[in-house]
Amino acid sequence: MNPTPPRIHSQACWSCRGPTPAGLFCTTCNALLPPDMGANRFALFGLEPSYEPDAAILEKNHRALQKQLHPDFFAQRGPTERRLSLEWTTRLNEAWQTLTDPVARAGYLLELLGWKSTGRPALDPEFLEEVMTLREALEEVDPLAPDALPKLATLKTTARGRLKVEESQIAHWFRRAHSHEHPPSTDALGEIARLVDRMRYHRRYLEELDRLEDRAFDQDA
Amino acid sequence: MDVLLEIAEPGQSLLPHQTGPGSRKRVVGIDLGTTFSLVAAISLEGKPLCIPDDDGVCAVPSVVHYGAGQTVRVGQAAREMALSHPESTIASVKRYMGRGVEDIRARMATIPHGLEAGEGGMVRILAGEANVSPVEVSAEILKLLKKRAEEALGGSLQGAVITVPAYFDDAQRQATKDAARVAGLEVLRLLNEPTAAALAYGLDKGSEGLYAIYDLGGGTFDISLLKLEKELFQVMATGGDSALGGDDLDQWIVQRIMTETGVSDPDPGWIQACRKIAREVKEELSEANAVTFPLPGSATGQTGHITREAFDSGVRDLIWRTIPICRRVLKDAGVAPEALQGVVLVGGSTRVPLVRQMVAEFFGREPLVDLDPDQVVALGAAHQAEALAGNAPAEMLLLDVTPLSLGIETMGDLMERIVPRNAPIPTARAQEFTTFKDGQTAMAIHVVQGERELASQCRSLARFELRGIPPMTAGAARIRVTYQVDADGLLTVSAREETTGVEQSITVKPSYGLTDDEIANMLQEAMQHGEADMLARLFNEAKVEADRVLAAAGAALREDGDLLNDEELKQVKGAMLALWETTQGQSADAINDRIQKMDAQTRFFAQRRMDRSLKQAMTGRKVDDFE
């Protein structure tokens, strides 16, 4: 069965002006109806907010919705439906990207739970030390040296490993928060936010490794 | 007996589009290439076919000649003028699209005609007596393809899918769309070339799995990684170089001939002649190990000689430039070369053996070449046009991505990414910015595209100023800048001050685009030839809207017609009939007037339908309450 994502219910159908029961399309005149811009991104795919959403359902529903809503299927329709299709699929893609990315997903869940970021990540000494070690390792790599590629590969494996650990820690905290606390404690959310910051750092670090790797590869010709 | 029917050649007819109203729309796919352009349509039998000229040749050389007295020659006729009139003949205009003068001078070594900066920043080309923008030159090519297709399909075109290199930036895409407008073509969609190729390939071979499409054309290189499934083509990542192609390989041969003959300051005629020879030498070297050829401008029959080995070592660095891009795309998609189902070669330049060899080495497998690399893009575009026009059942879902990151310049010339590359489109992203001075009432916004960290090293797409910010202390204003990328990959930028909720209307002035005036002028010129086209389009738009209104009213009557007494029913039906009658006429204005009138005349019916639904909802709730 296809999911029916949230859309605006209170209004009359823009096309036939009649009442509009649930569904993406008007049951009377079959016009595409506007999305509910305020609805959360999980609900779009018929899912409950969770850090570990069912990937198979997500994929299946995303595809089913794109098959109904993509602008390619509205090329012969009037301007209103073309615009609505653009709005729907823009939201679908935005939600899809949030839900399939562990960092964005955590950030979005924190937002839904009312967590207000302080802006700057807190600098705990333990993490600072790790950052220094990672920096030093990076500076030791000369992208033009013959051993650059294997060295970079090792550093990448390490950074990817950290990301995996952080992701599973975040999953753990979210599970705990859901099963024990209603609403989740500020401590739990703060811990998750701290881990998200770390993931962001490790991602940027990986990006830097990527750039060095590109340079090393270009030299390899 | 069947035999009689078979006398009428069962070969694929391209004239299926003549039957009555409501039948198939006349639509085409167009590959607007650097060296060649093609137009394709779907045959009666459902097969995509390129439309040939009277001599059976499909490829139109992308060459335009501007002669005396405003005569314009396009295609083969223009190419024939290139040797005798090089300064007034424009080839490879695709390389100029969406570009500024400096840009082109920096990238191209030998240009046979003058260039100057146009009003909107886009280059203008001085070709003989003509002073034209690349958009107009491309429009001439499109007009020829349009005419050819209209003759083959037996009537005016109702839409076209035009392909662009996946790696084209926003300015280049916009310029392509503008060219279509000037040519009087309705663009159903701008489609990325590798995606079009994958569409043709996948539908033809019934392939499933991960495929890399390596597309090296005359002037552009694209690599896209696609997931092909039944009813779904999803682009995972894309990359490229919009200024690298077969032209550059020719250029290497030209340079070599220049060195060997000691020609240091060649005239335009010599350059054109030399280019022609270079192209032939390159093509021959795909088969032969060495080529001997007549030197340009030599009356004494002097010859030059190039071996495959020398050519290979000379162009190796150029071709190598594609390999790190392939690697990057695999990395972006998180895919190892072994995970691929196949590598498909597209574009004439993939005939060069060294290209095939380097691609095979990098991907660790022999590339697939079982479709004509010159035609496959146009064929894929024709498929997509057919689906968008509603001629074929819309089964295939095509999900594409942004090729390059879109961002904004922030303090210190930094590029702040707003939409990352390889984001699925359509997409919208917003970012908040603030003022840095007390009482600041305006903010300059510079839209850039590219992967470099400094904004000045990225492509500048647009600059505009957000004005009318209420004076506040520094950092108090919250300016939300939104980037929207549509299904054509085209960007719209808007900005809004959030604390006051005042939305500022802004006009985005493209850095290398055409000004509205320039477009208006071109359209006016085109109108002289294509006024009928324009009116037909306006009428069509109005008719689509009228059809929707009528269908909606019909549906409402079936559902809630019992709410009306005979007199009222007559009134609604009368309004519908009056609207329907205007759709049988010619005037878009008459239709739009009638739509408004009908809306007013049937408002009471809509109100009654809403009242009933509300009543039902309340009754429903009461029942629930009792249970």
Side-chain angles (χ1 to χ4, degrees):
Chain A
M1 223 197 70
N2 289 339
T4 47
R7 55 156 187 88
I8 296 172
H9 278 288
S10 54
Q11 292 169 356
C13 167
W14 61 269
S15 181
C16 75
R17 311 291 162 92
T20 56
L24 292 170
F25 298 90
C26 173
T27 42
T28 304
C29 75
N30 205 29
L32 178 60
L33 300 169
D36 177 0
M37 290 301 197
N40 91 57
R41 296 175 192 179
F42 289 90
L44 208 53
F45 300 105
L47 293 164
E48 288 295 318
S50 150
Y51 190 65
E52 295 159 289
D54 187 323
I57 294 184
L58 181 59
E59 169 95 20
K60 192 175 126 272
N61 289 354
H62 177 238
R63 222 178 265 189
L65 290 167
Q66 288 278 9
K67 285 214 84 168
Q68 294 182 80
L69 296 166
H70 195 274
D72 282 358
F73 306 130
F74 292 85
Q76 297 303 313
R77 304 284 192 97
T80 310
E81 278 180 286
R82 287 206 304 269
R83 179 177 54 77
L84 289 173
S85 147
L86 179 69
E87 278 174 17
W88 269 112
T89 43
T90 296
R91 280 189 61 76
L92 267 185
N93 283 331
E94 175 190 43
W96 166 256
Q97 285 205 298
T98 308
L99 267 53
T100 50
D101 172 29
V103 175
R105 192 168 63 235
Y108 182 62
L109 277 168
L110 285 177
E111 203 184 302
L112 286 182
L113 291 166
W115 175 259
K116 290 268 183 289
S117 165
T118 48
R120 279 175 192 284
L123 296 171
D124 62 286
E126 186 199 340
F127 187 55
L128 262 184
E129 199 164 308
E130 194 200 322
V131 168
M132 305 260 274
T133 319
L134 287 174
R135 285 269 120 217
E136 272 167 29
L138 191 77
E139 272 153 25
E140 273 168 26
V141 181
D142 172 9
L144 306 186
D147 63 344
L149 282 173
K151 266 191 179 170
L152 286 167
T154 313
L155 291 180
K156 277 174 84 167
T157 311
T158 311
R160 285 212 189 101
R162 295 279 157 77
L163 277 169
K164 272 279 157 240
V165 171
E166 283 149 0
E167 189 183 336
S168 67
Q169 283 172 336
I170 291 175
H172 165 80
W173 280 100
F174 270 121
R175 275 201 297 270
R176 223 179 96 153
H178 277 295
S179 54
H180 297 300
E181 310 154 13
H182 294 285
S185 70
T186 322
D187 281 357
L189 296 186
E191 186 59 31
I192 293 168
R194 199 176 64 82
L195 286 162
V196 170
D197 284 337
R198 288 190 173 197
M199 281 190 88
R200 289 208 174 103
Y201 175 80
H202 284 125
R203 280 229 177 135
R204 279 200 302 275
Y205 185 75
L206 267 175
E207 276 174 26
E208 243 171 283
L209 291 175
D210 264 349
R211 272 196 288 276
L212 286 177
E213 202 179 60
D214 286 347
R215 281 177 59 194
F217 188 80
D218 285 355
Q219 289 299 316
D220 236 23
Chain B
M1 292 263 301
D2 290 311
V3 184
L4 272 178
L5 286 173
E6 276 175 24
I7 294 170
E9 181 59 44
Q12 290 119 348
S13 159
L14 274 165
L15 273 171
H17 305 269
Q18 293 172 320
T19 38
S23 68
R24 291 176 65 186
K25 290 215 158 90
R26 275 183 300 270
V27 294
V28 292
I30 291 178
D31 175 1
L32 186 60
T34 308
T35 26
F36 287 103
S37 298
L38 295 110
V39 59
I42 303 292
S43 75
L44 262 180
E45 292 78 10
K47 263 186 80 79
L49 292 174
C50 283
I51 304 176
D53 63 10
D54 294 340
D55 299 325
V57 181
C58 288
V60 175
S62 300
V63 183
V64 179
H65 169 79
Y66 289 88
Q70 298 196 322
T71 52
V72 181
R73 287 185 177 83
V74 185
Q76 192 53 40
R79 192 147 93 164
E80 279 155 18
M81 302 300 285
L83 288 181
S84 53
H85 299 79
E87 69 295 329
S88 51
T89 308
I90 303 168
S92 300
V93 71
K94 192 172 180 177
R95 295 196 135 190
Y96 300 178
M97 294 289 266
R99 292 277 182 251
V101 178
E102 297 313 317
D103 234 7
I104 294 167
R105 290 222 173 96
R107 281 164 190 268
M108 293 177 75
T110 46
I111 304 166
H113 24 69
L115 302 175
E116 64 174 41
E119 232 178 282
M122 188 191 271
V123 67
R124 293 191 72 86
I125 308 163
L126 309 171
E129 288 172 22
N131 176 332
V132 286
S133 79
V135 168
E136 288 164 278
V137 181
S138 299
E140 292 297 342
I141 300 167
L142 289 172
K143 279 182 209 163
L144 182 134
L145 296 173
K146 178 176 180 242
K147 188 163 165 279
R148 182 187 285 188
E150 286 177 344
E151 279 164 14
L153 301 178
S156 64
L157 289 187
Q158 287 154 302
V161 167
I162 299 182
T163 62
V164 289
Y167 215 59
F168 251 20
D169 64 35
D170 191 73
Q172 293 168 304
R173 282 168 200 269
Q174 193 62 61
T176 306
K177 208 169 179 181
D178 288 345
R181 268 171 73 192
V182 173
L185 276 170
E186 191 193 336
V187 180
L188 295 169
R189 180 77 75 237
L190 293 180
L191 183 63
N192 289 329
E193 285 162 10
T195 311
L199 198 57
Y201 188 88
L203 292 176
D204 196 65
K205 306 279 167 203
S207 307
E208 297 201 5
L210 279 173
Y211 283 82
I213 313 289
Y214 180 103
D215 179 358
L216 190 61
T220 57
F221 167 65
D222 274 330
I223 170 87
S224 284
L225 194 70
L226 284 100
K227 194 159 81 180
L228 270 54
E229 285 172 34
K230 193 173 167 284
E231 298 188 1
L232 173 78
F233 281 21
Q234 187 173 8
V235 182
M236 314 291 288
T238 195
D241 184 334
S242 61
L244 173 64
D247 278 5
D248 299 290
L249 306 184
D250 299 347
Q251 190 59 33
W252 180 84
I253 299 176
V254 170
Q255 290 292 345
R256 189 184 145 115
I257 296 174
M258 277 169 73
T259 318
E260 279 189 0
T261 53
V263 175
S264 58
D265 188 21
D267 61 76
W270 192 91
I271 293 175
Q272 293 279 19
C274 197
R275 280 216 183 127
K276 184 166 176 278
I277 291 168
R279 204 167 42 238
E280 288 161 5
V281 168
K282 176 187 69 180
E283 282 164 13
E284 281 179 51
L285 280 175
S286 292
E287 306 292 331
N289 282 322
V291 173
T292 303
F293 53 91
L295 286 173
S298 159
T300 52
Q302 279 177 293
T303 57
H305 184 77
I306 294 181
T307 61
R308 162 103 58 96
E309 208 183 340
F311 177 69
D312 281 0
S313 76
V315 299
R316 180 171 288 275
D317 285 355
L318 278 172
I319 300 172
W320 169 258
R321 273 164 57 190
T322 65
I323 300 299
I325 301 173
C326 294
R327 188 176 151 278
R328 175 89 239 175
V329 163
L330 287 175
K331 208 154 90 172
D332 278 353
V335 168
E338 307 83 65
L340 294 179
Q341 204 67 40
V343 181
V344 181
L345 293 186
V346 179
S349 302
T350 58
R351 289 204 174 85
V352 173
L354 184 64
V355 171
R356 296 194 174 182
Q357 186 196 324
M358 286 173 90
V359 170
E361 272 167 23
F362 174 74
F363 287 100
R365 71 186 64 224
E366 281 306 313
L368 305 163
V369 285
D370 33 6
L371 286 190
D372 182 342
D374 291 323
Q375 292 199 356
V376 64
V377 168
L379 300 179
H383 268 301
Q384 187 62 0
E386 194 76 350
L388 288 172
N391 291 346
E395 279 167 357
M396 188 59 69
L397 177 62
L398 210 62
L399 301 176
D400 220 318
V401 299
T402 51
L404 292 146
S405 301
L406 289 158
I408 194 166
E409 179 184 337
T410 59
M411 295 277 274
D413 189 28
L414 288 180
M415 144 74 155
E416 172 137 1
R417 246 187 299 171
I418 294 188
V419 179
R421 70 163 180 270
N422 294 324
I425 53 173
T427 188
R429 300 284 176 106
Q431 196 97 303
E432 263 184 26
F433 297 92
T434 190
T435 47
F436 66 98
K437 268 193 213 150
D438 286 340
Q440 187 179 338
T441 56
M443 182 181 259
I445 291 172
H446 184 203
V447 183
V448 293
Q449 187 167 31
E451 309 310 319
R452 307 293 290 271
E453 279 169 71
L454 295 182
S456 55
Q457 291 173 344
C458 290
R459 173 147 297 274
S460 167
L461 290 183
R463 287 174 190 275
F464 63 87
E465 205 161 81
L466 177 69
R467 291 174 187 279
I469 302 170
M472 286 181 246
T473 51
R478 284 167 51 216
I479 292 135
R480 195 174 172 80
V481 179
T482 305
Y483 281 33
Q484 166 88 55
V485 181
D486 67 15
D488 289 325
L490 289 172
L491 172 71
T492 317
V493 179
S494 59
R496 171 188 158 95
E497 206 289 304
E498 294 275 311
T499 56
T500 53
V502 179
E503 178 118 27
Q504 295 297 325
S505 66
I506 39 160
T507 41
V508 178
K509 188 168 168 284
S511 305
Y512 291 101
L514 295 165
T515 61
D516 284 345
D517 284 349
E518 281 174 299
I519 286 270
N521 280 339
M522 285 178 205
L523 280 178
Q524 231 158 31
E525 279 170 35
M527 281 271 272
Q528 287 162 8
H529 313 286
E531 194 164 4
D533 279 3
M534 187 69 82
L535 289 175
R537 193 179 315 161
L538 283 175
F539 177 77
N540 255 339
E541 277 168 22
K543 189 172 178 304
V544 166
E545 191 61 9
D547 287 345
R548 178 193 63 76
V549 170
L550 286 171
L557 279 181
R558 275 195 301 282
E559 186 102 2
D560 296 317
D562 59 307
L563 287 168
L564 302 173
N565 62 31
D566 286 354
E567 194 53 41
E568 289 162 342
L569 189 65
K570 231 178 174 174
Q571 188 185 333
V572 171
K573 282 190 171 166
M576 288 171 72
L577 188 66
L579 175 57
W580 180 82
E581 272 166 359
T582 61
T583 66
Q584 303 306 303
Q586 309 260 307
S587 158
D589 286 346
I591 296 180
N592 291 330
D593 270 6
R594 262 299 153 200
I595 290 177
Q596 287 200 356
K597 280 205 185 95
M598 180 175 146
D599 189 51
Q601 287 164 347
T602 58
R603 202 164 288 156
F604 74 95
F605 179 39
Q607 191 54 50
R608 244 179 257 176
R609 295 173 62 212
M610 289 307 285
D611 288 349
R612 165 142 91 185
S613 125
L614 215 69
K615 240 181 254 166
Q616 278 170 346
M618 281 161 69
T619 325
R621 195 171 304 152
K622 270 183 199 143
V623 173
D624 283 347
D625 287 346
F626 286 124
E627 276 171 2

